[in-house]
Amino acid sequence: MLLIAPITLAVCQRLWLPVVPFLIAEVLAANIGGTATLIGDPPNIMIGSRAGLSFDDFLINLAPITVVLLAVFIALCRVLFRKAFLDAEEHMAEIRELDGKDTIHDHRLLRRCLVVAGAVVIAFVLHGPIGIDPAFVGLLGAGLMVLVSGTTTKQFLQEVDWSTLVFFMGLFVMVGGLVDIGVIDTLGRAAIDLVGDDYLLAAVGLIIGSAVIGGMIDTIPFVATTMPIVEELVATVPDPEIGRALWWSLALGADLGGNATAIGASANVVAIGWAARNGHPIGFWEFTKYGLVVTAVTIALAALYVWLRYFAL
């Protein structure tokens, strides 16, 4: 979102189109698309590390449904954001005249950064076979990027979105308090007792519960507190494939549920913060009214997918 938002603003300004609907649509698409891979969304990295799931595991199990969900979302956009699709043909000449090369001032630095970015992607793909943690790959890549770019400490610290980080810190403290007093554990135990050995019910419950609760308190702290409960539930499953289906259900619910509200996922908070700083504020309910519709549709399709792939056959 940090990469695409400035481009969106520039294009919309030249086409005289409203920026906010396009930014919201991009955030919703980013959260859906992030479901496909281990590194696509923070909850996936957390789940992958906890459950021992590799990049290929995510790609094989979640990429197919992600493609379907993105296709459905694009169709939904024609309805949800129809007022933003204005006729801008008279301004298209300005867009056609744009040359991306004109905005690149240091081609040597670009090549260096692309090499580092490519190495990071390869390391994420191979993290399982070579036995390194995804978090280590991310931190090492960030350090290498700072090193090859020659950025000073003052420069890269100025680019940090401190308000967003403080927001997440407060959110994690709040959820940590719920964990400490036993609220999350009590709910988890009750859920395990409720589903018993009905693992389809458990999978659907994880998808819907993750979307509803994660959408309200942010999916990252929700997944952090839910993973031990899912791990305990998976340990009771006799079929390893069904056990993995529960992890996929948690990932689907958390990733797609991030679209439910303006604070449901990190991409939402980052994009809304960026939009506000650039003079295009997005209200909580302005985002949420679209997010709830997209979440309801995608969660329903995700539950159908899990049933058909892991339980129906």
Side-chain angles (χ1 to χ4, degrees), residues 158-233:
Q158 284 179 336
E159 296 298 321
V160 176
D161 190 350
W162 295 107
S163 60
T164 300
L165 288 179
V166 171
F167 168 80
F168 280 118
M169 288 167 61
L171 197 62
F172 292 167
V173 169
M174 180 189 72
V175 175
L178 294 175
V179 173
D180 192 57
I181 63 177
V183 172
I184 300 296
D185 184 66
T186 300
L187 291 175
R189 303 291 175 189
I192 292 176
D193 294 339
L194 178 64
V195 300
D197 59 355
D198 189 341
Y199 300 117
L200 174 59
L201 177 61
V204 174
L206 279 171
I207 294 174
I208 298 175
S210 299
V212 173
I213 302 175
M216 292 189 294
I217 65 171
D218 190 271
T219 55
I220 297 176
F222 172 78
V223 168
T225 56
T226 306
M227 285 191 302
I229 300 171
V230 176
E231 190 173 41
E232 183 176 337
L233 180 60

Side-chain angles (χ1 to χ4, degrees), residues 23-288:
L23 286 177
I24 294 176
E26 287 166 358
V27 173
L28 297 174
N31 287 330
I32 295 173
T35 307
T37 68
L38 173 70
I39 60 173
D41 217 10
N44 289 9
I45 298 177
M46 298 163 65
I47 292 170
S49 298
R50 184 85 181 211
L53 301 170
S54 68
F55 189 95
D56 291 341
D57 290 330
F58 274 86
L59 203 61
I60 293 170
N61 288 274
L62 297 188
I65 183 60
T66 301
V67 173
V68 174
L69 294 178
L70 282 173
V72 172
F73 171 70
I74 292 172
L76 273 177
C77 284
R78 296 295 304 177
V79 178
L80 295 176
F81 304 104
R82 58 188 180 277
K83 293 182 180 179
F85 298 141
L86 306 176
D87 184 8
E89 185 60 35
E90 59 183 295
H91 304 293
M92 284 299 296
E94 297 181 37
I95 300 299
R96 297 190 183 99
E97 292 173 1
L98 293 178
D99 187 350
K101 295 181 180 179
D102 295 338
T103 63
I104 301 173
H105 306 292
D106 191 336
H107 290 269
R108 184 180 179 185
L109 176 60
L110 174 64
R111 288 191 292 270
R112 289 178 178 178
C113 293
L114 287 176
V115 169
V116 174
V120 169
V121 172
I122 293 173
F124 273 128
V125 174
L126 299 176
H127 82 95
I130 62 181
I132 58 176
D133 192 272
F136 177 77
V137 174
L139 287 173
L140 182 60
L144 286 174
M145 195 69 80
V146 171
L147 184 64
V148 302
S149 65
T151 307
T152 65
T153 304
K154 182 179 180 180
Q155 286 176 315
F156 70 73
L157 286 179
Q158 284 179 336
E159 296 298 321
V160 176
D161 190 350
W162 295 107
S163 60
T164 300
L165 288 179
V166 171
F167 168 80
F168 280 118
M169 288 167 61
L171 197 62
F172 292 167
V173 169
M174 180 189 72
V175 175
L178 294 175
V179 173
D180 192 57
I181 63 177
V183 172
I184 300 296
D185 184 66
T186 300
L187 291 175
R189 303 291 175 189
I192 292 176
D193 294 339
L194 178 64
V195 300
D197 59 355
D198 189 341
Y199 300 117
L200 174 59
L201 177 61
V204 174
L206 279 171
I207 294 174
I208 298 175
S210 299
V212 173
I213 302 175
M216 292 189 294
I217 65 171
D218 190 271
T219 55
I220 297 176
F222 172 78
V223 168
T225 56
T226 306
M227 285 191 302
I229 300 171
V230 176
E231 190 173 41
E232 183 176 337
L233 180 60
V234 169
T236 67
V237 181
D239 185 350
E241 188 67 16
I242 297 298
R244 285 194 169 194
L246 298 181
W247 287 115
W248 301 134
S249 298
L250 176 62
L252 284 166
D255 294 339
L256 301 175
N259 279 332
T261 69
I263 62 169
S266 55
N268 310 11
V269 179
V270 169
I272 290 173
W274 183 91
R277 291 194 301 275
N278 288 273
H280 298 279
I282 301 174
F284 179 89
W285 289 112
E286 184 177 10
F287 181 97
T288 304

Side-chain angles (χ1 to χ4, degrees), residues 28 32 73 76 80-81 256 259 289-299:
L28 297 174
I32 295 173
F73 171 70
L76 273 177
L80 295 176
F81 304 104
L256 301 175
N259 279 332
K289 68 181 180 181
Y290 297 111
L292 287 174
V293 174
V294 173
T295 299
V297 173
T298 54
I299 284 295

